[in-house]
Amino acid sequence: MQVNLAKTAGFCFGVDRAVNLVYDLLAKGKKVCTLGPIIHNQQLVDDLISKGVKIIDDVSECPEGYTVVIRTHGVEKEVIDKAENDKVNFINATCPFVLKIHKIVSEQPENTITLIAGDENHPEVLGIRSYCKGESFVFKNEDELENIIKKLPNSSENSVICVSQTTFSLKEWKKCEKIIKKLYTNCKIYSTICNATADRQEEALELSKKADAMIVIGGRHSSNTCKLRDVCKANADTFLIETSQELKNIDLSNYSYVGVTAGASTPSVIIKEVLKTMSEEKIEKEVEVAATAAETAETADKAAEAAVNASADGEATFEEMLEESFREDENSKVVTGTVVNITPTEVFVDVDGRKQTGVIALDDLSAQPINDPSEAVSIGDKLSLVIMKTDDSEGVLKLSKKLVDAFQGWEDIVNAKENDEILEGVVSAVVKGGVVVVTKGSRVFVPASQTGVPRNQELDILKGTTVRFRIIDINPARRRAVGSIKVVANEEKKAQQDALWATLEEGQKLTGTVKSLTSYGAFVDIGGMDGMIHISELSWNRIKHPSEVVNVGDTVEVTIKKLDPETRKISLGFKKLEDNPWEILKRDYPVGTDCKAKIVGLASFGAFANIIPGIDGLIHISQISWERINTPADVLKVGDEVDVRITEIDFDKKRVSLSMKELLPKPNADAEAESEEAEDAE
C-alpha cells in the first residue's frame, strides 16, 4: 500500500497564528481563556484545557486576571464592542483574511445588499453579517442563490456586493459566481476564499483522482475539513477521522494507493500519528504475510528471518549495530571519556575504565570544518568516542568523535525524513553538483537545483552560512541523505506572502524596492511579494522605457491600484496626483494666462505648442496672426518659441486652446486712431 500525504495538509496561516498566540501567552505565565474553542479541533482544545485555558461563551464570563483570546473565525461586532466598553483584557486572534471581509462589508453604504456564500450558522458568517450595514443574505449552493436573486430589488438605489466564507467550496463558488454575473450584472464580487483553503481543496481533488481511498484528518465540526471530505468523495472512498485511533475501524487492506489530507485546524502531531499508525499497520501486515509464507520452512529461524526482512523497521538500533560490529575487535569499540587537555591540533581524553591515554586528532573531532579544537569541545566535557587504533608501543588510543556524531546524527536525519521536520545546518563545502550541509554531525548533500540559488549565481555564496532544509531522500544502505533548502524557503516565502496578502487593499500606499525592469513596466518588491508598475503609471509624460524614471534597487513609494485574488497579481501606481500636469495647469495656468510655448507640430489647420511638460495646446490657424495666412508653416516652424494666451481649457477632453494674435496689436488699430485724431483736430 502506497501512502501519499498532501503537501498543504494541516494548519493554515491564520490557525497557526492563533494557536501560537495562546501557547506563547501560557509560556509567559499568563492566565488565558478563549471565547469559544480557539479552533475546531477537540484534541488541541483538550491540550489547552489541560494547561489551564478556560473556554467561555461570553466576554462577561472572563475571570479576573485572565486574558480573553478571540477565536480564529471571528465573532460578531457587538461582542468586540462589548469587550471594549467593559474594558475586558482581550486579544483578537481572528484570521486576517476574515478581518479583511469585515472591513469590506463595513465600508459599504447603508443601502448595500450583501450576498454571502457560506453556512449561515457558522460563526464566521455570523460575524460577517454583523458588520453589514444593509440587508444580507446567505447561500450555500446554486439553488439558494437563485432563489435569493429572484427576491432582490433590481433598483439603482441599492448597490449589491458578494463575499464568501473563507472556507467555502471553491468548486461551488465558481458555479455561483457565473450565476451572479449572468443574473445580477451590477453586483460587485469579492473573491474572499482563503488561498490556503483553495490550494488545499485543489490539491485534495487531484490527489483523490489518483488514489483508491482518501483519509481526511480533522474535526467533524470544522467547515474546511468537511469541504475537503466532500471534494475527495467524488473520486475515491473517503474516510474522515479525528485521531489515529479511528483507523482501527477502517479496513485499508484492499487499497493499493491511499491519499491523506488534513483540515486547516488539524495539528501536525495528529497528522504524524495517523501516518505512523498507517505505517505500523502496513509493516505488521507485511510481517504476517512473510510469516505465513515461511510456515513451510524447515525451521522457525527461517520464518523469523523472512518476517524481519519484510519489515521496514527490521534494522538494528545505533547501539546494536555498533556493538555487533565491534564485538570481535578491540579497535572500533565505543567508549566514553573526559577531555583533560586541548592543544591547537589534538584533544587528550581520559578514557573510562582504561589506563591508556586517548587522543582525538583535529580531523576526527567534528564533521564541521574547524580551525581550533576548542571550537568543538571544552575541558571537562564527557564524550562518546570510537577507538580507531590502539598503539601498543606508545600506549595511546587514537579516538574519533566525528564517527559517533555521524551515527547518532543519522538517526536524527531518518526521523526528520519520516516526520517531515525542518533541520538546520552549516554549508561546509561546495562540491560538484551542489553543496554539503553538516547537521547533527552528519553530512547532507543538497543538489544545486535544491539550493534556491539562481543558475547565474555561484554556490560559493552559501559556504559558511546557516541554512534550513528538509530531507527529501535517504539511502539507508549507504547512509546518505539528500536535502532541499529551496522547499523550506518556498514554504516560508508562501507563509510570508499569505500574511502580507491579508493586509493588502486597493488604494493602500506602500514602500517597495525595484527588483527588475522590462519594456512594459517595473517589478517592485513590497515586502515579500512583487507588484508591477505599468510603464503608463510611471510618468505623466510619455516615456520609452521604465529606466527613464526608475532603476533596479531604487526605493519607491507606490499605491495599490488593483488586486487579483485568484492570480495574486498586484498592479501598482507610481505617479503622484500633485505631479499630474493637468492639475498643475489648473492651479498655475488658468484661462487668460499669457505664457511661453514651444511649437512641437504643424498641421494644415493650426500648430501644436507645448505649454508645460505633458500638455500641448492647439493654436488654430485663425489664432496665429491678424493677417490671413495660407498655412501655419508660412510663419512657424517646429522648435519656435512663441508668446501665447490660454483662451480655453476642456479638462474632460484634455484639450487646450491657445492664441498668438491676442497678444499682437490689430493691424488697423493705429490707422483708426490717427483718423480719429485728425477728425478731432478739424
Side-chain angles (χ1 to χ4, degrees):
M1 181 178 68
Q2 181 181 349
V3 178
N4 194 354
L5 174 66
K7 184 179 179 181
T8 53
F11 278 178
C12 65
F13 160 74
V15 170
D16 189 54
R17 169 178 169 271
V19 170
N20 285 336
L21 190 152
V22 176
Y23 279 111
D24 287 346
L25 288 172
L26 293 173
K28 293 174 182 177
K30 302 286 186 180
K31 295 179 180 180
V32 181
C33 59
T34 61
L35 190 58
I38 190 70
I39 60 172
H40 282 149
N41 184 275
Q42 193 58 47
Q43 289 70 37
L44 185 135
V45 171
D46 289 343
D47 182 61
L48 291 176
I49 292 173
S50 70
K51 289 177 168 55
V53 174
K54 297 181 181 296
I55 298 176
I56 60 176
D57 297 320
D58 191 283
V59 289
S60 61
E61 299 173 9
C62 176
E64 187 176 347
Y66 276 71
T67 298
V68 180
V69 177
I70 306 296
R71 56 197 175 194
T72 53
H73 37 61
V75 293
E76 292 92 330
K77 182 178 183 298
E78 296 76 17
V79 176
I80 300 294
D81 292 342
K82 182 178 181 182
E84 291 176 345
N85 293 334
D86 294 349
K87 294 182 171 49
V88 175
N89 185 24
F90 75 96
I91 297 176
N92 195 345
T94 302
C95 172
F97 290 100
V98 177
L99 290 174
K100 192 169 185 177
I101 305 175
H102 292 176
K103 189 172 188 296
I104 289 171
V105 300
S106 65
E107 290 179 345
Q108 305 304 317
E110 291 186 2
N111 62 344
T112 300
I113 295 172
T114 304
L115 302 177
I116 305 171
D119 178 358
E120 65 178 346
N121 296 316
H122 193 279
E124 181 183 328
V125 174
L126 294 174
I128 294 170
R129 297 191 77 175
S130 71
Y131 283 88
C132 297
K133 296 176 183 176
E135 286 188 283
S136 62
F137 301 89
V138 182
F139 61 91
K140 61 184 176 184
N141 53 42
E142 298 170 89
D143 294 337
E144 291 187 4
L145 173 62
E146 289 179 341
N147 289 333
I148 291 171
I149 290 179
K150 288 177 184 177
K151 300 174 184 177
L152 286 180
N154 194 2
S155 170
S156 58
E157 296 179 0
N158 295 95
S159 60
V160 181
I161 68 166
C162 182
V163 297
S164 69
Q165 187 177 335
T166 56
T167 55
F168 194 67
S169 166
L170 183 63
K171 181 179 179 182
E172 197 66 41
W173 170 254
K174 289 179 178 178
K175 293 178 184 177
C176 294
E177 191 176 24
K178 288 181 180 178
I179 293 174
I180 295 172
K181 289 179 179 179
K182 181 180 179 181
L183 300 180
Y184 219 93
T185 55
N186 70 332
C187 180
K188 188 171 183 180
I189 301 173
Y190 296 87
S191 181
T192 54
I193 295 178
C194 173
N195 272 77
T197 298
D199 292 345
R200 200 182 304 270
Q201 290 178 10
E202 288 283 3
E203 191 176 327
L205 177 64
E206 293 304 314
L207 185 56
S208 66
K209 290 178 180 178
K210 303 174 186 176
D212 302 315
M214 288 291 298
I215 300 294
V216 180
I217 313 168
R220 288 182 169 82
H221 298 293
S222 167
S223 175
N224 71 84
T225 301
C226 292
K227 294 292 191 307
L228 287 177
R229 177 199 59 198
D230 295 341
V231 165
C232 295
K233 69 181 182 181
N235 301 305
D237 292 342
T238 302
F239 307 93
L240 193 157
I241 63 173
E242 292 190 347
T243 67
S244 60
Q245 297 295 321
E246 295 180 38
L247 282 172
K248 296 177 180 179
N249 303 321
I250 303 173
D251 183 8
L252 298 175
S253 60
N254 295 323
Y255 301 108
S256 59
Y257 189 131
V258 179
V260 180
T261 186
S265 53
T266 306
S268 59
V269 64
I270 293 180
I271 299 173
K272 290 174 183 177
E273 286 175 359
V274 170
L275 293 175
K276 182 180 178 182
T277 302
M278 292 177 71
S279 176
E280 289 171 350
E281 289 181 357
K282 174 184 173 184
I283 292 168
E284 288 174 6
K285 185 67 67 176
E286 289 173 346
V287 172
E288 289 175 9
V289 171
T292 302
E295 283 181 357
T296 57
E298 293 181 359
T299 65
D301 290 339
K302 291 183 179 179
E305 182 181 354
V308 170
N309 288 338
S311 173
D313 285 350
E315 296 180 6
T317 63
F318 162 64
E319 291 81 7
E320 290 170 344
M321 285 188 291
L322 284 181
E323 288 302 325
E324 179 65 27
S325 60
F326 303 152
R327 188 173 295 164
E328 297 180 0
D329 191 354
E330 178 65 16
N331 292 335
S332 300
K333 186 173 183 179
V334 180
V335 295
T336 57
T338 304
V339 177
V340 294
N341 190 25
I342 300 174
T343 73
T345 58
E346 296 174 318
V347 174
F348 291 86
V349 178
D350 272 349
V351 180
D352 294 350
R354 291 174 178 264
K355 296 180 180 180
Q356 295 159 295
T357 301
V359 178
I360 311 170
L362 182 62
D363 289 342
D364 292 319
L365 190 59
S366 173
Q368 194 169 322
I370 55 175
N371 297 318
D372 188 336
S374 60
E375 296 176 23
V377 296
S378 302
I379 292 178
D381 285 354
K382 199 80 168 178
L383 307 176
S384 292
L385 305 161
V386 169
I387 300 174
M388 301 296 291
K389 184 179 180 182
T390 302
D391 192 333
D392 294 329
S393 61
E394 298 181 9
V396 174
L397 298 175
K398 293 186 177 180
L399 307 171
S400 173
K401 176 179 178 292
K402 182 169 71 174
L403 184 59
V404 175
D405 291 344
F407 270 97
Q408 292 175 332
W410 176 254
E411 291 186 357
D412 292 333
I413 286 174
V414 172
N415 290 333
K417 174 67 170 66
E418 292 176 353
N419 298 323
D420 199 30
E421 294 176 2
I422 295 176
L423 295 175
E424 194 172 275
V426 176
V427 177
S428 63
V430 177
V431 296
K432 184 178 179 181
V435 299
V436 174
V437 180
V438 176
T439 180
K440 301 179 183 295
S442 293
R443 292 157 59 89
V444 176
F445 174 67
V446 178
S449 62
Q450 295 297 322
T451 59
V453 176
R455 290 187 178 182
N456 59 347
Q457 290 189 26
E458 296 294 330
L459 296 176
D460 288 336
I461 63 172
L462 289 178
K463 190 172 182 180
T465 62
T466 299
V467 295
R468 287 159 57 81
F469 62 96
R470 271 199 173 92
I471 302 298
I472 57 175
D473 189 33
I474 57 174
N475 185 333
R478 303 183 68 180
R479 290 186 174 273
R480 292 185 179 178
V482 178
S484 174
I485 300 170
K486 185 169 72 173
V487 295
V488 174
N490 288 345
E491 289 170 4
E492 292 175 343
K493 182 179 180 181
K494 186 176 185 303
Q496 182 184 10
Q497 289 177 344
D498 286 344
L500 176 61
W501 186 263
T503 66
L504 299 181
E505 55 187 37
E506 293 180 6
Q508 186 176 357
K509 296 184 183 298
L510 299 166
T511 301
T513 304
V514 179
K515 285 185 63 178
S516 62
L517 302 177
T518 67
S519 60
Y520 52 85
F523 287 90
V524 178
D525 181 356
I526 55 174
M529 296 186 75
D530 291 348
M532 190 190 79
I533 310 172
H534 191 269
I535 189 170
S536 63
E537 288 293 330
L538 280 167
S539 174
W540 292 105
N541 301 322
R542 188 182 295 274
I543 60 173
K544 294 181 178 179
H545 194 271
S547 58
E548 297 177 37
V549 181
V550 294
N551 295 303
V552 173
D554 285 355
T555 299
V556 292
E557 299 288 334
V558 294
T559 302
I560 297 177
K561 293 186 69 66
K562 186 178 180 182
L563 295 170
D564 188 332
E566 293 187 5
T567 61
R568 285 209 170 184
K569 288 183 179 179
I570 305 170
S571 298
L572 302 174
F574 179 69
K575 297 184 298 189
K576 294 179 173 60
L577 182 62
E578 58 267 28
D579 295 333
N580 185 341
W582 289 96
E583 292 296 322
I584 296 173
L585 187 75
K586 182 185 292 185
R587 183 188 68 213
D588 299 336
Y589 297 83
V591 172
T593 300
D594 298 337
C595 60
K596 296 282 187 182
K598 187 176 182 179
I599 304 300
V600 293
L602 297 172
S604 60
F605 53 83
F608 291 96
N610 180 247
I611 310 165
I612 60 176
I615 296 183
D616 296 339
L618 172 65
I619 311 171
H620 192 268
I621 189 170
S622 64
Q623 295 296 318
I624 293 176
S625 173
W626 288 106
E627 298 177 357
R628 184 178 180 81
I629 60 175
N630 294 323
T631 174
D634 291 342
V635 294
L636 296 171
K637 65 179 183 296
V638 173
D640 285 352
E641 191 172 80
V642 296
D643 292 317
V644 297
R645 174 171 291 167
I646 299 174
T647 58
E648 187 180 352
I649 302 175
D650 188 332
F651 287 101
D652 292 332
K653 295 182 178 180
K654 298 290 189 291
R655 292 177 182 174
V656 181
S657 298
L658 305 173
S659 175
M660 291 172 57
K661 76 177 187 180
E662 286 197 11
L663 297 179
L664 300 173
K666 291 182 180 181
N668 58 351
D670 293 339
E672 290 177 357
E674 290 175 1
S675 176
E676 289 176 358
E677 289 175 1
E679 290 177 358
D680 292 340
E682 291 177 357

